[in-house]
């Protein structure tokens, strides 16, 4: 029904937002996701790619994208290894939730994996500044490890639970 809505109302950002959500949810169901390995199958990756395409269309139609839909887009980009677009999506989420350290941590991770070091460093600093003092050192060390791993030739870093 979300796909049909975009066909009937191609200039309606809400229709495209619904399609992002529907495609993302579809990617995690049935034969699109292997529950044993916790990995998307090739058909799931295709659904995530379709969700990302719907997100791009949605972004063109709205000046104020939903941070909830941006989270789905970021996760889709993460699963498809499109780290630059993942970082852009986390920027939208972080801007909408400026006191949530976790989103800045996700932004830093994606930016580092996209080789956008300056953006990653800024996001990492913001994440640390928003973290309680007793946890700041641990987060700094974790982000340093993520940066080092992401910038090494064989990057395999991901944030669990993202």
């Amino acid at each position: 029904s979300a796909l049909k809505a975009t066909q009937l109302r191609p200039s309606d950002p809400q229709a495209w937002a619904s399609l992002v959500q529907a495609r993302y949810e579809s990617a995690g169901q049935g034969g699109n996701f292997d529950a044993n390995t916790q990995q998307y199958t090739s058909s799931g990756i295709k659904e995530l790619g379709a969700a990302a395409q719907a997100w791009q269309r949605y972004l063109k139609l709205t000046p104020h994208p939903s941070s909830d839909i941006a989270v789905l887009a970021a996760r889709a980009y993460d699963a498809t290894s499109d780290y630059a677009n993942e970082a852009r999506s986390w920027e939208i989420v972080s801007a909408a939730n400026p006191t949530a350290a976790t989103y800045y941590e996700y932004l830093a991770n994606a930016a580092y994996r996209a080789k956008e070091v300056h953006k990653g460093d800024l996001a990492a600093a913001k994440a640390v500044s928003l973290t309680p003092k007793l946890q700041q050192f641990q987060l700094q060390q974790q982000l340093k490890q993520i940066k080092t791993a992401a910038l090494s030739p064989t990057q395999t870093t991901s944030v669990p639970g993202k």
Side-chain angles (χ1 to χ4, degrees):
S1 67
L3 182 58
K4 187 170 186 158
T6 61
Q7 293 166 345
L8 292 173
R9 300 182 316 275
S11 298
D12 179 4
Q14 187 53 48
W16 288 97
S18 295
L19 185 57
V20 172
Q21 185 171 4
R23 294 282 193 192
Y24 180 80
E25 288 173 4
S26 173
Q29 298 176 356
N32 294 330
F33 189 79
D34 184 336
N36 294 324
T37 63
Q38 295 294 300
Q39 298 290 319
Y40 291 100
T41 64
S42 60
S43 60
I45 295 292
K46 286 180 186 175
E47 278 296 308
L48 293 171
Q53 288 176 335
W55 169 251
Q56 289 300 321
R57 176 77 172 153
Y58 169 73
L59 285 177
K60 291 178 183 173
L61 295 171
T62 184
H64 305 289
S66 161
S67 65
D68 292 336
I69 301 300
V71 167
L72 300 181
R75 290 176 177 163
Y77 285 127
D78 178 56
T80 58
S81 303
D82 184 345
Y83 305 123
N85 278 317
E86 179 189 358
R88 285 188 207 76
S89 299
W90 286 124
E91 284 179 304
I92 292 167
V93 177
S94 298
N97 301 280
T99 60
T102 301
Y103 295 132
Y104 287 100
E105 183 180 343
Y106 293 165
L107 171 56
N109 184 349
Y112 288 142
R113 291 186 299 162
K115 311 295 188 228
E116 297 176 12
V117 178
H118 182 67
K119 183 185 290 186
D121 288 347
L122 291 174
K126 184 70 172 179
V128 169
S129 76
L130 293 171
T131 300
K133 292 263 187 245
L134 291 174
Q135 298 167 355
Q136 286 183 351
F137 179 76
Q138 180 181 358
L139 180 59
Q140 283 175 325
Q141 294 307 304
Q142 180 183 352
L143 291 168
K144 185 187 264 186
Q145 288 175 338
I146 289 170
K147 179 179 180 179
T148 300
L151 298 177
S152 74
T154 55
Q155 84 175 328
T156 57
T157 304
S158 185
V159 174
K162 190 165 62 155

